[in-house]
Amino acid sequence: MTDFLGLDEPPQPQSGAAYRVLARKYRPQTFRELIGQDAMVTTLANAIRRDRLAHAFLLTGVRGVGKTSTARLIAKALNCIGPDGQGGPTIDPCGQCEPCRAIAEGRHIDVIEMDAASHTGIDDIREIIEASRYAAVSARYKIYIIDEVHMLSKAAFNGLLKTLEEPPGHVKFLFATTEVNKVPVTVLSRCQRFDLRRIPAELLAKHFAGVVAAEGVQAEPEALALIARAAEGSARDGLSILDQAIAHAGIGGGAVSAGDVRDMLGLSDRGAIRALFGHLLAGEAAEALRLLRQQYDLGVDPAAVLKTLLETVHGVTLVKLGTDLSASQAAEEQAVMAKWATALSYPVLHRLWQLLLKGHEEVGRAALPIETAEMALLRLVHAATLPDPGELARALAAGSPPAAAPVAPPPSPAEAPLPATVAALADLLDASNRHLLAAGVRNRLRPIRYAPPELVASNATPLPADFARDLATELRAITGRQWKITTDAAPGEPTLAEQAASAKETERAAVLASPIVAAALESFPNAELIGWTTNGVRHA
């Protein structure tokens, strides 16, 4: 029995140190390693350099952006004595002196960390107040780091106020919280507050690339981009997902692939989503539902499908506005987005967004998620063929049947020739139901150079701020060509409205100078010209 239990065997040596998860292993040890918080680091550096250190700091932000890590870095920065033991507070702690090493290892006697979630009462705060009266044992400052400070009780907050307002000179308080709205205003007013930002996905992906390189692991850039997006601005969440993805890739040098990450996280394939979005725009209900069910059978949450469709609509809208998304999109995705941006109007995009947003909310609380998602997509298919409300109102006012919303790509340049004159340009905008822009072209535009698809307009008389951009966007949608519209300080030609008024005045003068009208006015001195007809057109 003893042999079976192995009690008589000598202890087996460990193969190595215990594994440390990436979120702990790559916790920033210097402010240079803290990503995405440059504004805060600059403020702290200036405060240390000018010896204007606050006695209490409040660090707030979403989970995983580095609040506790920043608090420890501040503790190191304030207590660092340098390799030679003669240094002072610095934004670049050496990491070699005893205070730096002890704080990094969590064993410094003068740096006390407390989790407010498990120490919420007044008695815990009394201990801090009593201990704060005594000088630091071995450090320059005695530092209290209180995590999730919003969970302290009302009595605990009240007990802390006096000490927080007038602490001893050797004491610093560092508070961290994810819910700053729950911290009393009386506490907030006694702290220097830093709002740590969500870390952009591009920075996270770059950081993760450095981590996998240090770990000796291969990873596809698209896989790291997916992890960065899934992290939603949190470095800790992203490193946890990356840890899982490396384990998912297996032993033997397996690379972390985008497909593996999608399978692991239940993310929908962007190619499949683009195909689904195309079928929705084309009104192909059966094919759209088939693709939705295909994603569902692969383990993708229906809410995740609708979320990705929302991201697609948002991306198309940004492309239509002229935003450059090439850094975060593959070439194939860029081409499709550009095509949709040209084909879809702003009202259609806004309507798609609202319908998808409503569908996403319904799926989130539905008893039958996949069935609810199908009904949401069917509603979208039906709406895709409806006319724009603005066009519908204009059509009803004109007494003509409304046209369906555009879902097909615009005609090719050969089928939609460019307008040869500015007047033709205004007529084209009117014919395409861009009446407001057409009015702007007629009444505000003073062309300096017109050579379609290029237009240089005068801004000597100020144009609306978004006029050039909106005109270029709508002309691209109408003609299928990229327009370049710029402004210059030169005076330019008169507007179409001014040209029409000038022509009308010239014609009026010619009518008044004609022999018959001149004779009539001479015979009837009190008569006046109230109108005339030219080529069947009445002028007043």
Side-chain angles (χ1 to χ4, degrees):
M1 184 67 177
T2 302
D3 290 339
F4 177 75
L5 292 174
L7 298 178
D8 58 347
E9 295 183 1
Q12 298 297 316
Q14 292 186 355
S15 59
Y19 177 69
R20 296 175 66 201
V21 296
L22 297 181
R24 292 187 59 197
K25 186 175 181 180
Y26 292 95
R27 173 175 281 166
Q29 298 301 316
T30 67
F31 281 105
R32 285 189 298 272
E33 296 175 5
L34 188 67
I35 60 175
Q37 311 300 341
D38 296 342
M40 181 201 67
V41 173
T42 300
T43 303
L44 283 174
N46 291 336
I48 291 174
R49 190 178 301 112
R50 299 174 183 175
D51 194 22
R52 299 178 64 88
L53 291 167
H55 56 270
F57 298 88
L58 179 70
L59 306 171
T60 179
V62 298
R63 68 192 186 284
V65 294
K67 298 183 296 298
T68 307
S69 295
T70 300
R72 292 174 181 170
L73 290 176
I74 294 175
K76 289 168 66 175
L78 298 183
N79 282 328
C80 177
I81 59 175
D84 59 358
Q86 303 300 316
T90 174
I91 196 65
D92 294 312
C94 66
Q96 302 174 22
C97 64
E98 176 57 25
C100 282
R101 293 201 307 271
I103 293 171
E105 296 167 7
R107 57 178 176 81
H108 200 293
I109 192 172
D110 292 317
V111 178
I112 301 97
E113 293 193 34
M114 187 184 91
D115 178 18
S118 53
H119 299 81
T120 62
I122 183 63
D123 291 337
D124 300 300
I125 294 302
R126 284 200 185 103
E127 291 182 13
I128 293 177
I129 295 171
E130 290 297 324
S132 67
R133 298 177 182 177
Y134 302 101
V137 176
S138 61
R140 185 178 296 111
Y141 293 104
K142 179 177 284 189
I143 295 177
Y144 291 95
I145 300 175
I146 303 180
D147 197 13
E148 298 303 336
V149 69
H150 66 274
M151 300 192 75
L152 289 177
S153 66
K154 183 177 180 180
F157 273 126
N158 290 335
L160 187 60
L161 285 180
K162 186 62 178 178
T163 303
L164 190 60
E165 184 170 13
E166 298 177 0
H170 60 270
V171 174
K172 301 290 183 184
F173 289 97
L174 302 176
F175 301 140
T177 178
T178 53
E179 300 183 51
V180 70
N181 58 300
K182 294 184 179 180
V183 179
V185 176
T186 50
V187 173
L188 291 176
S189 65
R190 290 166 167 82
C191 299
Q192 190 170 97
R193 172 174 168 176
F194 291 103
D195 290 81
L196 276 66
R197 302 176 180 179
R198 290 181 184 270
I199 305 171
E202 296 80 8
L203 275 181
L204 282 177
K206 184 178 179 181
H207 179 58
F208 298 156
V211 169
V212 295
E215 292 289 305
V217 176
Q218 300 294 322
E220 295 178 358
E222 186 180 354
L224 298 180
L226 287 172
I227 294 173
R229 284 199 293 269
E232 296 183 340
S234 168
R236 184 178 64 228
D237 286 8
L239 287 172
S240 298
I241 297 171
L242 180 59
D243 227 340
Q244 183 181 355
I246 292 173
H248 186 82
I251 303 174
V256 178
S257 68
D260 289 340
V261 171
R262 288 193 186 95
D263 292 341
M264 184 184 75
L265 298 179
L267 298 175
S268 51
D269 180 81
R270 298 189 75 83
I273 290 298
R274 290 196 298 272
L276 172 58
F277 190 65
H279 290 303
L280 291 173
L281 294 180
E284 298 169 351
E287 191 62 20
L289 295 189
R290 185 189 69 80
L291 288 179
L292 174 63
R293 279 285 177 175
Q294 185 180 74
Q295 291 291 295
Y296 181 70
D297 292 340
L298 290 173
V300 180
D301 185 0
V305 174
L306 292 178
K307 179 182 177 183
T308 312
L309 286 171
L310 280 166
E311 292 174 350
T312 302
V313 173
H314 180 250
V316 172
T317 306
L318 291 181
V319 172
K320 191 173 183 67
L321 286 170
T323 305
D324 184 9
L325 302 179
S326 57
S328 60
Q329 291 180 343
E332 179 185 1
E333 188 170 10
Q334 292 178 43
V336 176
M337 287 285 195
K339 174 184 174 182
W340 286 334
T342 302
L344 300 173
S345 67
Y346 287 113
V348 171
L349 288 169
H350 295 326
R351 184 169 60 207
L352 291 173
W353 174 266
Q354 292 297 330
L355 290 171
L356 284 169
L357 192 62
K358 179 176 176 59
H360 185 268
E361 293 172 354
E362 292 174 348
V363 170
R365 61 175 184 266
L368 302 171
I370 183 61
E371 288 80 1
T372 305
E374 288 178 336
M375 296 303 293
L377 293 192
L378 287 175
R379 187 165 61 220
L380 201 71
V381 167
H382 176 68
T385 61
L386 294 177
D388 172 72
E391 295 178 1
L392 178 62
R394 286 190 292 269
L396 291 175
S400 59
V407 296
S412 65
E415 297 170 332
L418 300 178
T421 64
V422 176
L425 175 69
D427 292 340
L428 177 63
L429 290 169
D430 264 332
S432 303
N433 291 322
R434 273 74 165 185
H435 304 296
L436 190 60
L437 269 178
V441 168
R442 290 192 173 94
N443 299 315
R444 308 291 293 274
L445 180 66
R446 299 178 184 275
I448 298 173
R449 178 175 175 269
Y450 182 70
E454 294 185 15
L455 168 62
V456 181
S458 171
N459 60 4
T461 301
L463 288 167
D466 299 330
F467 180 78
R469 185 195 67 191
D470 292 346
L471 182 58
T473 300
E474 296 302 333
L475 287 177
R476 182 177 66 178
I478 296 169
T479 65
R481 298 279 295 276
Q482 186 73 36
W483 283 69
K484 181 180 179 182
I485 299 178
T486 57
T487 58
D488 191 88
E493 300 176 6
T495 66
L496 291 176
E498 290 171 342
Q499 293 178 32
S502 176
K504 180 179 177 181
E505 190 58 36
T506 300
E507 187 173 335
R508 177 184 176 85
V511 170
L512 288 172
S514 64
I516 297 179
V517 175
L521 292 176
E522 184 177 356
S523 301
F524 303 95
N526 294 327
E528 62 180 33
L529 181 64
I530 60 173
W532 67 94
T533 301
T534 304
N535 298 326
V537 178
R538 171 77 177 174
H539 301 280

